[in-house]
Amino acid sequence: MRKTFSMMAAALCGLIVSAYALPASADELVMPPAGEMPPHPVILPHRGEHEATVLKEFGEPRQRHAPVGGGSPKHPPITRWDYDGYSVFFERTTVVDVVVKGDPPPISHVDELKRTP
């Protein structure tokens, strides 16, 4: 029993020493300059929020669109509210998606992308 314990302790010590001996590495995160980043709201409505919560937190939308769909339980009514810079989509009275308007941010490191056959 004592021999097994000492072998386990030696193996554990070896593992700890080897973990500290490994070289450290890290990736570098490259962000575009602040002027190149598209402006967008920092806080957006979250999926699952109720219409009343969105109104309370973000105020009255610039435009409310009439519901689309709703002909059957499989196709509930979808409503869109437009705010400055983004649109909120509701299924009945629940947020299902938020879309930020404008062009998507530019792709970084295009030269590193690989084509698939």
Side-chain angles (χ1 to χ4, degrees):
M1 177 78 173
R2 187 162 178 83
K3 187 174 183 177
T4 304
F5 177 75
S6 63
M7 287 176 53
M8 287 176 48
L12 181 61
C13 287
L15 183 63
I16 291 172
V17 169
S18 66
Y20 284 106
L22 293 174
S25 67
D27 290 333
E28 181 180 346
L29 178 62
V30 180
M31 297 292 291
E36 293 180 20
M37 295 295 288
H40 58 81
V42 176
I43 300 173
L44 295 170
H46 298 286
R47 183 176 300 209
E49 284 186 318
H50 193 272
E51 282 181 347
T53 306
V54 175
L55 279 174
K56 181 180 174 187
E57 292 181 10
F58 300 94
E60 193 65 34
R62 188 172 33 82
Q63 182 178 4
R64 291 184 190 211
H65 295 270
V68 177
S72 72
K74 284 188 171 184
H75 303 286
I78 302 293
T79 308
R80 184 177 97 204
W81 291 2
D82 291 334
Y83 287 89
D84 291 332
Y86 63 96
S87 295
V88 182
F89 292 85
F90 296 92
E91 182 179 293
R92 294 186 178 88
T93 60
T94 305
V95 174
V96 291
D97 201 2
V98 177
V99 176
V100 177
K101 296 178 183 173
D103 295 330
I107 298 175
S108 301
H109 305 287
V110 175
D111 55 322
E112 295 176 13
L113 296 175
K114 296 181 174 97
R115 290 190 181 271
T116 57

